[in-house]
Amino acid sequence: MPRALRSLLAAALPAAFAAALLSPAASSAPPAARKPRVVLVGWDGADWSLLDPLLAAGKLPNLAKVLARGRSWDLASYNPMASPLIWTTIATGRSPVDHGVADFQELEPGTRTRVPISGRSRKVPAVWNLASTRGISVGVVGWWATWPAEKVNGFLVSDRASPVLFDAASLSLSPALAWPEGLSDGVRIVVKREGSPAYEDVSRALKVTRAEFDAAVAANKDLLDPVTAYRKILGSTRVHARIGLDLYDRQKPELLMVYFQGTDEIGHVLARFYPPKLSTVSEEEFRKYSGGVVGFYQEADRVLGEFAARAERDGATFVLVSDHGFKWGEDRPRFYSGVQFDTAFLWHHGIGALVAAGPGVVPSKVRKKVSVFDVAPTLARLLGLPLDPAFEGKPVEGLGPAPGVKAAPAASWAKAAKVERLVVSGFDAAEKKAADEFTKKLISLGYLTGAEAAAVDARPADRAGTETAGSFANIGTYLRERGKTAEAITWYRKALEVNPKSPTTHFNLSVALHILDKWDESDRELVLSLQNGHHDPEAAVFRRVTTYMQRFEKSPKARKQVVSFLESVVAAYPANDRYRAALGKMYFESKDCASAERVFRDLVGRRPQDVEAINVLALALWCQGDAAQARSLFQRSLSLNPDQPAIREGLSQIERGGKAP
């Protein structure tokens, strides 16, 4: 950051902030002692399918410089691809089963109100805790689940500093925002000054007029409007960047970790407008917003360049990491991810990005594959910290240790590190407002439904905890995806104890039961998911029907099962003609022609112009030997739609006295 800008910041801050953050004892010169140092930048959702084309087009010059002197990897993630889970894995090396951060929210112990996920859910130390315990200075900015701020050997600005997740009023009242505590007032000033970019900043990326910008700001639709969403995401990025850079310049921590959520959020808001144009996007929308993604990533690259330059100057290993990938091409969903539940995850995919340069990095142009579980072990090796025997991952080949760094004997981080957080007492109106604000953001980004947000903990008081239904369900999905389906079912049932009406949990339990060939139970859970508000019920029903049909040849009982399943669906939704028609067709496929006739006679009676229903009714009657009625119905069908060669052939067979197919 330019010296003039640092001076401006220092002049604007209260004395407590200046003393805590901008100590004059530090200088901009490189440190005298060359201890191992790491500067890590987190880009949520960064994906090579976007980064590589932007690099080739010269849009990311600072990332290109890092790659030129370092190397990159594909970074395998895990399901569910939810940021709090994966970023906590990156910081701890442990799975969500072990580390405990398994949802975007948790339940406040006293009121059982939904509140943002916090460090109180985390059950294991993070790398900054172990580093602090071993005397290594650290700096952390914006990392998921770090509120209340943790007492570290250095500074920690919690995830509540992000103005994307909280409004300014809520943020200004949040206690325990940062460590040392004197930083909090200064952080609030940075948020206020950097968190709301001007029209000139937004219009560099979005083709909107000042009048359109002013109208969007006045309407205050937040993340639901591309203009105010871009402004907020850009502001959040600048807040984290300014805090991280100024703190680093003054304190020079040996480990710096700064997280940026905007690289993922910009996708949820603007990926549908990114070229090539989707059919669901209008020409005017495409004109206005198609440049937003590139414009934002250019800003992210500018910020990355600031951190990378400091790392190179100070002899630090520079690391860029993302938690998962994002769909930027033709595989993008055709609907807006920000307004429908369960669409946010549909935009993610399982390969993110890892980049490194500097001491301990063996330059290479070959992009190998590593895992999010490998990041914490790699950081430990770079800093000379012990590897935890409980780690699933291992240090990345070609990344560390730095010259002169000796490997430490393996040790349990839980035993070796101390985790101490600032104490927050009570749950006041400001906390309730902050929690409500966070919930609204989750709904707008597609991670939560309004119904799920309103659900209360159904467990009796003596069994209540801080876990949401989503946290138990996410652990279930994590285990299911790793082949531990029986264990997953236990966690899904725990989730249903908290919220018996959760459609996603019923659905995921149905999937797990189906994997174990417990078809009856699985079908019951799927119907419960539909009845409790599954976001796309017809798609879920017909996927299940297709699954059974694919098993017809190998499993004769699949024919009976699909009929039983559709009967239960029709019983639950008697007015849905598509379900009834599907059931009638399965009756016919199963040679139960009388039942097929009953279903389609009713459908034709209510929908006399439905050619398909008329045809299947004709087939059902022909199957039962009533060729005369079948002939009459085929003729009626052809009068409505003459272009049906198969029906004409069927009519000819009847005329020749042929048997029903």
Side-chain angles (χ1 to χ4, degrees):
M1 183 177 293
R3 183 171 297 176
L5 196 55
R6 290 201 300 272
S7 299
L8 177 64
L9 176 61
L13 300 182
F17 186 86
L21 175 59
L22 302 180
S23 169
S27 71
S28 61
R34 287 293 185 184
K35 297 179 180 180
R37 312 178 76 88
V38 175
V39 172
L40 183 148
V41 170
W43 275 4
D44 199 307
D47 183 279
W48 290 117
S49 69
L50 177 69
L51 299 180
D52 281 338
L54 294 183
L55 285 163
K59 301 293 186 181
L60 306 177
N62 292 302
L63 178 56
K65 290 178 185 177
V66 174
L67 288 168
R69 62 186 182 90
R71 64 188 302 174
S72 64
W73 294 262
D74 287 331
L75 190 69
S77 189
Y78 60 71
N79 280 318
M81 281 178 268
S83 294
L85 286 67
I86 303 169
W87 286 105
T88 305
T89 290
I90 289 171
T92 66
R94 306 293 290 276
S95 78
V97 181
D98 296 331
H99 66 55
V101 176
D103 193 11
F104 286 91
Q105 296 178 301
E106 63 191 19
L107 300 178
E108 197 278 326
T111 64
R112 295 161 83 174
T113 301
R114 281 179 171 270
V115 295
I117 192 71
S118 77
R120 292 176 294 203
S121 286
R122 204 182 80 224
K123 299 183 291 188
V124 299
V127 64
W128 54 79
N129 302 123
L130 181 63
S132 294
T133 303
R134 295 295 178 101
I136 297 172
S137 60
V138 305
V140 181
V141 178
W143 210 270
W144 272 100
T146 50
W147 183 90
E150 299 170 30
K151 299 180 180 180
V152 297
N153 180 30
F155 61 84
L156 187 147
V157 178
S158 75
D159 52 333
R160 290 203 171 191
S162 169
V164 173
L165 304 180
F166 301 92
D167 63 17
S170 300
L171 182 65
S172 65
L173 295 173
S174 284
L177 189 65
W179 173 263
E181 293 182 83
L183 293 182
S184 296
D185 288 338
V187 168
R188 294 182 183 110
I189 289 176
V190 174
V191 170
K192 186 175 181 179
R193 293 194 171 186
E194 299 285 344
S196 301
Y199 166 72
E200 289 76 14
D201 298 311
V202 173
S203 62
R204 291 191 186 101
L206 306 185
K207 304 302 182 185
V208 294
T209 65
R210 181 176 290 277
E212 289 171 326
F213 173 82
D214 291 341
V217 172
N220 193 27
K221 293 183 180 179
D222 203 62
L223 297 176
L224 297 178
D225 184 307
V227 175
T228 48
Y230 184 90
R231 183 187 190 218
K232 199 165 197 180
I233 293 167
L234 179 63
S236 170
T237 300
R238 290 182 173 180
V239 166
H240 281 191
R242 185 161 186 178
I243 292 171
L245 290 167
D246 273 3
L247 282 166
Y248 180 84
D249 285 345
R250 299 292 170 163
Q251 302 296 323
K252 288 217 171 38
E254 293 154 86
L255 170 63
L256 177 70
M257 301 174 70
V258 184
Y259 166 76
F260 295 95
Q261 192 172 12
T263 42
D264 179 70
E265 288 172 346
I266 202 70
H268 289 294
V269 172
L270 294 182
R272 63 180 178 133
F273 305 115
Y274 184 69
K277 189 178 85 67
L278 297 176
S279 59
T280 51
V281 173
S282 71
E283 293 292 344
E284 180 63 7
E285 288 175 324
F286 189 71
R287 182 190 68 79
K288 287 182 178 180
Y289 309 131
S290 60
V293 170
V294 175
F296 177 79
Y297 265 87
Q298 288 180 299
E299 174 70 8
D301 181 74
R302 182 192 66 77
V303 170
L304 179 142
E306 296 267 16
F307 286 103
R310 284 161 172 78
E312 187 174 14
R313 178 195 69 193
D314 295 341
T317 303
F318 178 79
V319 178
L320 172 67
V321 62
S322 69
D323 56 336
H324 56 72
F326 205 90
K327 296 176 181 176
W328 291 103
E330 291 296 329
D331 57 346
R332 287 173 289 173
R334 290 299 197 262
F335 42 80
Y336 183 24
S337 65
V339 296
Q340 294 188 40
F341 171 66
D342 214 20
T343 61
F345 296 105
L346 296 178
W347 286 78
H348 296 167
H349 75 76
I351 302 297
L354 177 66
V355 177
V361 179
V362 179
S364 174
K365 300 300 181 184
V366 178
R367 186 176 292 166
K368 296 184 178 180
K369 188 173 182 179
V370 293
S371 164
V372 292
F373 288 99
D374 299 331
V375 178
T378 302
L379 294 176
R381 183 169 67 176
L382 285 167
L383 294 166
L385 296 172
L387 301 183
D388 192 323
F391 281 161
E392 178 177 327
K394 59 184 180 181
V396 172
E397 182 182 350
L399 178 47
V405 176
K406 296 181 180 180
S412 165
W413 283 21
K415 294 179 180 179
K418 181 180 180 181
V419 181
E420 186 178 0
R421 298 181 177 88
L422 293 175
V423 176
V424 178
S425 59
F427 184 71
D428 57 17
E431 276 292 289
K432 179 64 165 63
K433 183 178 180 182
D436 290 345
E437 179 74 13
F438 185 77
T439 297
K440 290 176 184 176
K441 299 300 180 297
L442 295 181
I443 293 172
S444 69
L445 286 171
Y447 289 108
L448 192 68
T449 65
E452 288 189 321
V456 297
D457 186 354
R459 291 172 292 187
D462 62 343
R463 291 171 55 201
T466 61
E467 306 91 345
T468 62
S471 68
F472 287 134
N474 283 337
I475 290 176
T477 297
Y478 172 81
L479 292 169
R480 189 191 79 208
E481 291 290 318
R482 297 170 79 83
K484 299 179 180 180
T485 308
E487 291 181 50
I489 288 172
T490 300
W491 289 91
Y492 289 138
R493 296 203 188 281
K494 286 183 180 182
L496 290 173
E497 288 182 7
V498 181
N499 181 6
K501 295 185 177 182
S502 168
T504 51
T505 305
H506 282 295
F507 178 80
N508 283 318
L509 177 55
S510 172
V511 172
L513 290 164
H514 212 266
I515 291 171
L516 297 181
D517 288 336
K518 297 182 178 182
W519 290 354
D520 288 336
E521 291 180 72
S522 174
D523 289 348
R524 282 195 295 271
E525 291 296 331
L526 182 52
V527 172
L528 284 170
S529 175
L530 307 180
Q531 292 175 316
N532 283 289
H534 189 285
H535 71 285
D536 195 353
E538 289 196 357
V541 167
F542 291 117
R543 279 197 299 268
R544 178 58 54 87
V545 170
T546 301
T547 298
Y548 283 129
M549 291 177 67
Q550 290 170 343
R551 299 189 179 192
F552 280 179
E553 291 186 8
K554 294 183 179 180
S555 177
K557 74 171 187 174
R559 288 184 180 274
K560 293 182 179 179
Q561 191 69 35
V562 72
V563 170
S564 173
F565 168 64
L566 285 170
E567 286 175 338
S568 65
V569 172
V570 169
Y573 295 93
N576 188 304
D577 286 347
R578 292 195 67 198
Y579 295 157
R580 294 171 65 83
L583 174 59
K585 290 175 184 177
M586 285 303 155
Y587 280 143
F588 182 77
E589 290 285 337
S590 302
K591 305 302 182 183
D592 185 355
C593 297
S595 294
E597 178 195 350
R598 184 181 69 252
V599 170
F600 282 103
R601 194 173 288 284
D602 174 70
L603 288 173
V604 170
R606 290 185 293 104
R607 293 159 47 187
Q609 305 297 312
D610 188 333
V611 170
E612 184 179 41
I614 294 170
N615 289 337
V616 183
L617 176 57
L619 289 169
L621 288 165
W622 190 9
C623 167
Q624 297 176 81
D626 193 343
Q629 280 202 66
R631 180 191 302 110
S632 175
L633 287 165
F634 279 152
Q635 290 171 339
R636 175 178 166 185
S637 173
L638 289 168
S639 71
L640 294 169
N641 179 12
D643 186 20
Q644 299 185 81
I647 299 304
R648 291 191 181 279
E649 176 60 27
L651 190 59
S652 297
Q653 287 189 37
I654 291 176
E655 297 291 350
R656 297 193 300 269
K659 293 182 178 181

